[in-house]
Amino acid sequence: MIRLDNISKQNGQQLLFIEASAALQKGEKIGLVGPNGAGKSTLFRMITGQEPPDEGLVLVERGVSIGFFSQDVGEMSGRSAVAQVMDGAGDVSTIAAELRELEAAMADPERFDELDALVERFGEVQARFDELGGYELESKAREVLDGLSFSQEMMDGDVGLLSGGWKMRVALARILLMRPDVMLLDEPSNHLDLESLIWLEQFLANYDGALLMTSHDREFMNRIVNKIIEIDGGTLTTYSGDYEFYEAQRAMNEKQQQAQFERQQAMLAKEIKFIERFKARASHAAQVQSRVKKLDKIERVEPPKRRQSVAFDFAPAPRSGDDVVSLKGIHKRYGNKVIYEGLDVLVRRKERCCVLGVNGAGKSTLLKLVTGTTKPDEGTVSVGGSVKMGYFAQHAMELLDGDSTIFEAMENAFPRANQGSLRALAGAFGFSGDEVEKRCKVLSGGEKARLVMALMLYDPPNFLVLDEPTNHLDMATKEMLIGALQQYEGTMLFVSHDRHFLSALSNRVLEVTPQGVHDYGGGYTEYVARTGHEAPGLRS
């Protein structure tokens, strides 16, 4: 369906692709992976014709429809979310617009003399609309929006009033409703809660078209894709299998290449030693010349490319008292909406509590109550002795000084730290080399999130409260963060939609429901086994 044939592409001084080739066939579901800046978004733009390759060809079969979802959703306002989604449904939405125009024309007294022709055309268009399933279009649009956690009120309200994250869901819903022959999805799992993520997973698993997508959620990728295309060092390498298979295969290939490289290096060293030893002796001249020629002809084995990942030894957190935070008799409402009525929760030292709940249940509110960002209407929140709290929330990113560079932000936070230590911290969170000189005001949302997380963990508190800490983190940074938090000896209370993160770190689950908070001992994996579902509100 789509073929990339010996493409080369340069972006400024950076070579993104060098005579790279790959293909997407009918029915394939492919995960596109590679380090940040490798060229994943550029590849999408080349397939959609937004950018040409410098050399080579991008070939798309005639008649193939392509739906492209990217993080850049553009302007949306002045119409409902449902109307915005229906507008992306291809031919059906065009025909629906013509039907509306014909209805207005037939009701216009000034066009009475055209009535017969209008009625005839209306009949033709209506038949085509019916044939394409147009009368079910609105209910299908609402079904998709419901799967992405929209309330009826949000579906019918002005899309312009929605936050950026919800607008992204509208843009995603447009592509899903369109059901093109090929979907190109650039990070569709960003901005989704756990329930929406699982719904999308099932939708894409049942989708019979071809799919090429990026995602920083390994569990999501594993359950959908049957092939991986890796971008690395300008080349495209295809692996058959899911993300887990790709990781294992890549590690095995690296190991084999390293062993082959070491064997060749040992052989070359032996030959060079012989040449150096006997090159001055006339009696060995023929042998020396023979070996020199042999070395010239040998194709050198390259050592495997090492993914740039920086480990960082985080300082141990100071010990807190056994009772870290206690909530007693908490009542909380927003307007007429009751969030909590008589909530009692005690979080103890070394617990890693993940908070689950359907959209709007009050997960973030619980974290805000614990951190004092929001006050209860009734009841008390008591923080225990020797508790030093760190709170990661989306608003924390707004507190960064826009005129400071990344490195200056770190130096200002830790004036006594040595520069090498701060540079290692920056590297661990994906800021290497000159990137530390970027000003905070030009950072993307993901870069700001990484910087705030780095500042929090350099001198770690003994109680971490984290609201969606993995949003925008790439897989390598996420793995580094999970590794660091597995060694962390403090207490955690967190909300996350990343199932790998939940499984790796939680040892207690608090499920927020309208009937109160249900407390499950054991982590997320035990919760799934006990309840039979991966998220509240879903049944499997």
Side-chain angles (χ1 to χ4, degrees):
M1 297 182 89
I2 296 174
R3 203 167 84 241
L4 305 164
D5 201 359
N6 285 317
I7 58 164
S8 295
K9 183 73 177 175
Q10 188 165 341
N11 188 358
Q13 296 298 308
Q14 188 185 9
L15 278 168
L16 293 176
F17 300 102
I18 309 160
E19 296 183 354
S21 297
L24 174 62
Q25 307 294 349
K26 190 173 182 179
E28 284 186 330
K29 294 185 169 72
I30 297 180
L32 184 63
V33 303
N36 279 349
K40 297 188 289 291
S41 296
T42 302
L43 190 70
F44 281 137
R45 288 195 296 273
M46 286 195 290
I47 291 173
T48 55
Q50 293 170 272
E51 265 187 57
D54 297 335
E55 292 175 26
L57 296 170
V58 178
L59 303 166
V60 180
E61 272 182 33
R62 186 172 295 177
V64 166
S65 58
I66 296 176
F68 176 36
F69 168 77
S70 75
Q71 299 295 302
D72 183 14
V73 298
E75 270 304 304
M76 290 185 194
S77 64
R79 61 205 311 196
S80 69
V82 170
Q84 188 77 29
V85 170
M86 287 169 65
D87 192 43
D91 290 346
V92 188
S93 60
T94 307
I95 292 166
E98 189 179 352
L99 272 180
R100 287 194 296 273
E101 286 169 15
L102 287 166
E103 282 171 356
M106 288 188 297
D108 185 350
E110 291 185 12
R111 299 185 67 178
F112 186 72
D113 56 336
E114 301 174 59
L115 191 58
D116 288 346
L118 289 170
V119 169
E120 186 181 346
R121 178 60 185 159
F122 185 83
E124 290 168 2
V125 175
Q126 191 176 43
R128 179 66 180 144
F129 188 65
D130 191 26
E131 186 187 317
L132 290 172
Y135 288 107
E136 293 88 54
L137 190 63
E138 183 172 340
S139 64
K140 285 178 182 173
R142 288 183 182 277
E143 190 182 320
V144 171
L145 287 168
D146 180 63
L148 295 174
S149 299
F150 280 76
S151 65
Q152 291 299 322
E153 188 182 356
M154 289 169 73
M155 290 181 203
D156 294 318
D158 184 347
V159 71
L161 301 176
L162 299 174
S163 68
W166 285 100
K167 283 179 181 172
M168 283 204 180
R169 295 192 196 203
V170 171
L172 177 60
R174 276 173 66 110
I175 306 297
L176 301 181
L177 183 66
M178 179 182 167
R179 291 191 83 96
D181 300 320
V182 177
M183 277 195 210
L184 307 178
L185 304 180
D186 193 5
E187 294 295 343
S189 51
N190 274 358
H191 301 284
L192 296 186
D193 52 57
L194 192 49
E195 295 75 34
S196 303
L197 194 63
I198 292 166
W199 177 87
L200 177 60
E201 198 173 84
Q202 291 163 349
F203 183 98
L204 294 176
N206 295 324
Y207 165 62
D208 54 9
L211 172 69
L212 180 66
M213 73 169 189
T214 62
S215 176
H216 291 151
D217 188 321
R218 62 187 298 141
E219 194 67 39
F220 180 70
M221 185 93 87
N222 263 335
R223 296 185 187 200
I224 295 167
V225 305
N226 50 30
K227 193 174 272 191
I228 294 285
I229 293 177
E230 178 194 53
I231 307 177
D232 198 10
T235 62
L236 293 170
T237 309
T238 302
Y239 297 80
S240 292
D242 61 12
Y243 185 81
E244 214 163 277
F245 172 83
Y246 150 75
E247 271 201 319
Q249 190 66 42
R250 192 181 195 281
M252 190 169 78
N253 291 353
E254 276 188 2
K255 195 174 177 182
Q256 287 172 349
Q257 192 175 343
Q258 182 67 30
Q260 200 178 345
F261 171 73
E262 287 171 4
R263 281 197 301 273
Q264 190 181 70
Q265 289 298 303
M267 181 273 289
L268 292 174
K270 190 177 175 183
E271 293 294 316
I272 289 165
K273 189 177 178 184
F274 178 89
I275 292 165
E276 289 297 318
R277 186 177 173 191
F278 294 110
K279 67 182 178 184
R281 296 189 191 180
S283 60
H284 287 75
Q287 283 176 285
V288 168
Q289 282 305 311
S290 170
R291 295 197 181 197
V292 168
K293 285 178 184 174
K294 178 184 163 188
L295 288 189
D296 286 342
K297 288 178 183 173
I298 287 174
E299 192 175 328
R300 298 294 198 266
V301 176
E302 294 293 323
K305 293 176 196 150
R306 298 291 177 199
R307 280 288 168 86
Q308 209 175 19
S309 59
V310 183
F312 188 81
D313 292 326
F314 293 97
R319 184 186 167 117
S320 70
D322 287 340
D323 290 352
V324 175
V325 66
S326 170
L327 293 86
K328 288 186 179 173
I330 298 294
H331 290 254
K332 184 67 186 175
R333 67 169 61 222
Y334 293 112
N336 295 325
K337 185 175 170 64
V338 175
I339 306 294
Y340 294 116
E341 250 182 338
L343 171 70
D344 293 324
V345 171
L346 172 64
V347 177
R348 293 172 291 274
R349 189 172 72 87
K350 284 201 171 187
E351 284 185 331
R352 298 157 179 262
C353 306
C354 70
V355 183
L356 301 180
V358 296
N359 203 48
K363 302 186 291 292
S364 292
T365 300
L366 179 59
L367 269 53
K368 288 174 182 173
L369 287 164
V370 165
T371 57
T373 315
T374 292
K375 300 296 179 194
D377 300 332
E378 290 179 43
T380 57
V381 179
S382 308
V383 176
S386 305
V387 170
K388 178 187 172 190
M389 190 187 302
Y391 178 35
F392 177 88
Q394 302 309 310
H395 75 79
M397 294 179 273
E398 296 161 19
L399 303 179
L400 292 169
D401 178 2
D403 292 324
S404 293
T405 65
I406 290 169
F407 197 72
E408 284 168 352
M410 290 180 165
E411 280 191 314
N412 292 341
F414 307 106
R416 295 184 182 179
N418 68 64
Q419 288 209 351
S421 173
L422 291 181
R423 285 190 181 277
L425 175 70
F429 281 90
F431 301 113
S432 55
D434 293 341
E435 282 189 296
V436 294
E437 300 307 323
K438 274 188 181 176
R439 299 215 174 270
C440 292
K441 62 186 172 192
V442 303
L443 299 181
S444 67
E447 287 171 324
K448 286 179 181 175
R450 284 189 271 137
L451 176 55
V452 170
M453 188 68 70
L455 294 172
M456 183 185 296
L457 290 178
Y458 182 75
D459 180 22
N462 52 29
F463 182 32
L464 285 175
V465 181
L466 311 173
D467 195 356
E468 294 290 4
T470 60
N471 271 1
H472 305 288
L473 297 188
D474 61 32
M475 288 203 201
T477 310
K478 209 180 284 187
E479 289 299 330
M480 184 281 301
L481 180 61
I482 287 171
L485 292 177
Q486 281 174 328
Q487 304 304 313
Y488 173 71
E489 296 206 345
T491 307
M492 286 171 60
L493 179 70
F494 62 97
V495 173
S496 175
H497 65 250
D498 188 297
R499 285 158 292 180
H500 179 51
F501 190 85
L502 289 168
S503 299
L505 293 171
S506 59
N507 60 20
R508 182 183 175 192
V509 175
L510 299 175
E511 183 184 342
V512 180
T513 75
Q515 292 74 42
V517 172
H518 296 171
D519 198 339
Y520 295 87
Y524 176 74
T525 307
E526 290 85 354
Y527 165 84
V528 173
R530 195 181 306 179
T531 62
H533 56 264
E534 293 189 291
L538 296 178
R539 297 291 176 266
S540 55

